[in-house]
Amino acid sequence: MAVHAGRPARTPGAPVGPGIELSSTYVQDGPVSYGREDNETWRAFEAAVGELEGGQAVAFSSGMAAVAAVMETLPVGGRVSVTPDAYHGTRRFLEERMPRLVVSDDSPDLVWVETPSNPMMAVTDIAAVVRASACPVAVDNTLATPLLQRPLDLGADVAVHSATKLLSGHSDLLLGVAVARTDEWAAKLRERRSRHGAVPGPFEVWLALRGLRTLPVRLERSSASAVVLAERLGGHPAVEQVRYPGFGSMLSFDVRGGAAAADAAVARLAVVVPGTSLGGVESLIERRHKWPGEAAVPPGLLRLSVGLEHVEDLWADLAAALG
């Protein structure tokens, strides 16, 4: 699916991959009226992600734009139950929208699940949440990707990704995507994309589709390395605790000595790059507690996004930095 979904029809002389549709304006009375409504390049990317997730994908200008589109399907005063340690951008969005949206576990209108959570790597049983919920369930599937977890198959109504991260995989674009299980949800998401203007650039979408083609091999390599690093970090005397969900390319670990010791270790790294994103070909690390809204994260916790470098190079770098 990752390699072939969204490609043009196999007719003689046709390109193997889709091109970039750059027009904002179209001749009237056709299937597309204006560039904010639809785009041929969007459709190719959405077809690929939709097939991988098992639903209808809608691309957005960023991951937060996709999050906002899902949240703002709720009426004024709508109640959202959210994973306590969800991405701080999601939590800050909800805090800023109060009282338009209310964060509450009591009779929610939407349950928002992030699994694994960022940066604590907690895993939630999606199917159990769906069974216990009398309202729609949305899942942030950024860290797992549809290769490791398909929320719609487990009963969720929407799966959301920051496609900036693992789906595109090269740290060179901003993009989001929400995948709906039903026509109704897909229509609501497309309407909000158009009304709010949170439309993606065709070039960014084309780059994301190109990156998506290699997701299986990238994730296989980085996940295998993450398993090795999680095990070795767990035995290192400078590490108090390793948080690894057992799958995927993301992990976090608590450095003995707290914030000062963690910052000193990051400063000594030569291969792993200090950076605030994840899911790229390069390994990235950062101390999450320093960000506003991450006060509940342990001060010495380092989040590590494992890239495609040789695992022994990564381990040598981490071991030397930890001392």
Side-chain angles (χ1 to χ4, degrees), residues 2-203:
V3 174
H4 288 288
R7 292 192 182 275
R10 295 187 183 186
T11 57
V16 172
I20 305 174
E21 174 57 72
L22 294 175
S23 184
S24 62
T25 309
Y26 297 84
V27 178
Q28 287 186 347
D29 302 323
V32 182
S33 59
Y34 187 56
R36 200 177 68 241
E37 306 294 335
D38 201 358
N39 179 279
E40 192 68 35
T41 310
W42 298 357
R43 277 184 239 154
F45 174 72
E46 290 170 344
V49 176
E51 191 167 339
L52 284 168
E53 280 283 19
Q56 300 180 54
V58 182
F60 291 86
S61 54
S62 68
M64 279 308 305
V67 171
V70 175
M71 298 290 190
E72 291 184 350
T73 62
L74 298 176
V76 174
R79 306 170 78 83
V80 182
S81 174
V82 61
T83 302
D85 60 336
Y87 171 56
H88 75 94
T90 301
R91 288 184 280 109
R92 287 180 66 186
F93 172 84
L94 288 169
E95 291 164 5
E96 291 168 2
R97 289 298 185 274
M98 291 179 181
R100 187 195 182 283
L101 296 176
V102 179
V103 178
S104 173
D105 293 330
D106 181 29
S107 302
D109 301 294
L110 176 73
V111 174
W112 183 272
V113 177
E114 183 178 301
T115 180
S117 64
N118 178 11
M120 302 297 281
M121 303 299 146
V123 176
T124 300
D125 186 334
I126 297 170
V129 170
V130 170
R131 288 194 299 270
S133 301
C135 64
V137 175
V139 177
D140 187 330
N141 202 28
T142 298
L143 268 60
T145 83
L147 271 64
L148 301 177
Q149 170 176 278
R150 292 189 11 140
L152 305 188
D153 288 352
L154 299 172
D157 297 275
V158 183
V160 176
H161 293 269
S162 172
T164 304
K165 312 300 195 301
L166 280 154
L167 293 190
S168 61
H170 290 78
S171 305
D172 55 7
L173 61 90
L174 291 174
L175 196 70
V177 62
V179 189
R181 187 159 56 89
T182 65
D183 293 342
E184 179 185 5
W185 262 103
K188 288 193 289 187
L189 293 170
R190 291 191 186 100
E191 180 185 19
R192 274 147 189 81
R193 177 177 65 184
S194 177
R195 296 291 181 268
H196 297 174
V199 297
F203 185 67

Side-chain angles (χ1 to χ4, degrees), residues 253-288:
F253 58 96
D254 300 4
V255 178
R256 294 188 190 279
D263 285 339
V266 170
R268 289 192 289 265
L269 289 165
V271 177
V272 181
V273 180
T276 193
S277 191
L278 59 95
V281 294
E282 64 287 309
S283 294
L284 296 167
I285 197 167
E286 71 170 344
R287 188 170 67 83
R288 292 297 297 176

